[in-house]
Amino acid sequence: MRRMILGVLAALFVFVPVASMMGQGAPVQPGADQPYKIEYYYKCQWGHQAEFLSLFLKNHYPLLKKIQSTGRIVSVKIESPTYHTSEELRWDYRVTIVYKNSALATTANPDEETMIKELWPDQETYKKEEQRRFEILLGHIDLPVADITPR
């Protein structure tokens, strides 16, 4: 009996650290001056994926690249799944943005409105197209992610 209790306790000491590495408990927070990654998932109304991507590349991607040129954003990557999943798990596009740090990722960019006006002088068309881009979305998730790979 004593041997069994010691075995269970030993297993708990091994399991608890592994469980905490697998997302149990509080999320891992990067240091204040470490890169901060957010994945943005977009699910479009069926049949409108190409329209969404076209509007995204025309009206949002240039803004992300402009912000990247200031150093606030480190990198931007756009991906789509190669195969399909079930409808409830489906997403059409994932945009992964790595920000310079968490503060820049989670605070408003004071220059964004000026950048938007510079990039799109025809604000009426820009606003109409951005409204359309969001009309054809079924869902949008912003998911901060942390690298928990053991070193």
Side-chain angles (χ1 to χ4, degrees):
M1 180 71 154
R2 183 173 178 204
R3 194 176 231 171
M4 188 173 87
I5 292 172
L6 290 174
V8 169
L9 289 175
L12 283 174
F13 283 114
V14 170
F15 176 74
V16 170
V18 170
S20 66
M21 286 178 22
M22 299 180 82
Q24 301 296 318
V28 176
Q29 298 294 322
D33 207 29
Q34 295 296 310
Y36 190 84
K37 184 189 296 187
I38 302 178
E39 294 178 344
Y40 301 87
Y41 291 85
Y42 299 94
K43 180 178 179 178
C44 305
Q45 293 177 24
W46 193 253
H48 292 274
Q49 290 86 350
E51 179 184 9
F52 175 85
L53 183 59
S54 176
L55 290 168
F56 183 91
L57 293 174
K58 180 181 179 190
N59 291 325
H60 195 60
Y61 186 66
L63 177 61
L64 295 174
K65 296 305 283 183
K66 178 86 169 170
I67 295 168
Q68 184 177 0
S69 74
T70 70
R72 188 178 181 99
I73 289 176
V74 175
S75 66
V76 177
K77 179 170 62 171
I78 303 169
E79 299 170 295
S80 66
T82 303
Y83 298 114
H84 65 275
T85 65
S86 62
E87 182 58 26
E88 62 274 0
L89 297 176
R90 179 177 68 85
W91 54 271
D92 297 301
Y93 301 105
R94 174 176 58 207
V95 178
T96 304
I97 301 176
V98 179
Y99 293 88
K100 184 176 180 180
N101 58 47
S102 62
L104 293 175
T106 58
T107 58
N109 181 349
D111 302 321
E112 190 168 310
E113 283 302 315
T114 302
M115 291 176 178
I116 289 171
K117 289 177 182 171
E118 287 174 7
L119 289 166
W120 298 280
D122 182 355
Q123 285 290 291
E124 186 176 322
T125 299
Y126 168 78
K127 288 176 182 176
K128 181 180 169 189
E129 290 176 347
E130 280 295 270
Q131 179 179 341
R132 177 62 184 157
R133 181 167 69 96
F134 283 98
E135 284 173 356
I136 59 178
L137 276 180
L138 291 176
H140 174 199
I141 300 168
D142 302 345
L143 182 64
V145 294
D147 183 354
I148 61 166
T149 307
R151 309 261 181 241

